[in-house]
Amino acid sequence: MSTIFVDVVSAEEGIFSGNAKFVALPGQEGELGILPGHVPLITRIRPGAVRIKTEDGADESIFVAGGILEVQPDRVTVLADTAIRSKDLDEAKAKKALEEAQLSRAKAQSDLDIAKLEATMAALSAQLAYIRRLRH
């Protein structure tokens, strides 16, 4: 088995679907590398990049804001809270969203609202850090 089928989807749309030689992404406990024939696994993923080495050797990179990963020996499924192809990331939009979340956090009073806003701010901060890494 030289490839593994990869699906990366968000609530809004399917982002990537195809065969790959290798997948790397930020798991809850650290960076995960997945090759064809990997043992079954289900885990949460942290905000960061899903890096896919496609069947033809091309590199795909997708920013995810967290989610769930399921691995089977012949399939990888990433169910992302939010997923954006690296080429579609917009630094100005992410900065503005982070500023708005920070303002809302300062006004938030309920524990639930605070937790949601802090999760949003963490995902946006990770997205901005990833955009900066892509530039260098």
Side-chain angles (χ1 to χ4, degrees):
M1 191 179 330
S2 62
T3 62
I4 190 165
F5 189 78
V6 180
D7 261 330
V8 179
V9 298
S10 71
E12 296 86 26
E13 63 183 321
I15 303 296
F16 178 88
S17 188
N19 288 318
K21 294 179 180 179
F22 178 73
V23 180
L25 66 156
Q28 187 67 32
E29 301 298 322
E31 192 72 12
L32 294 168
I34 301 161
L35 292 165
H38 196 285
V39 298
L41 167 72
I42 295 177
T43 188
R44 293 187 51 79
I45 53 177
R46 292 178 291 119
V50 176
R51 295 173 314 281
I52 303 165
K53 177 69 85 174
T54 64
E55 185 174 29
D56 62 4
D59 291 317
E60 280 283 334
S61 184
I62 301 163
F63 176 81
V64 295
I68 302 292
L69 167 70
E70 178 187 14
V71 178
Q72 295 296 324
D74 62 343
R75 174 180 284 278
V76 172
T77 304
V78 177
L79 303 172
D81 298 335
T82 301
I84 306 167
R85 288 183 183 275
S86 295
K87 64 183 181 185
D88 296 331
L89 289 169
D90 183 336
E91 184 174 14
K93 186 177 175 182
K95 280 182 182 178
K96 183 177 181 196
L98 180 58
E99 289 169 4
E100 290 172 0
Q102 289 169 334
L103 290 173
S104 296
R105 167 60 179 91
K107 297 175 187 174
Q109 299 203 0
S110 78
D111 289 344
L112 180 59
D113 288 341
I114 291 169
K116 285 179 182 178
L117 288 164
E118 287 180 352
T120 298
M121 291 181 336
L124 288 166
S125 294
Q127 183 177 342
L128 286 167
Y130 179 63
I131 290 169
R132 290 182 193 114
R133 273 193 308 251
L134 283 176
R135 286 189 178 164
H136 300 293

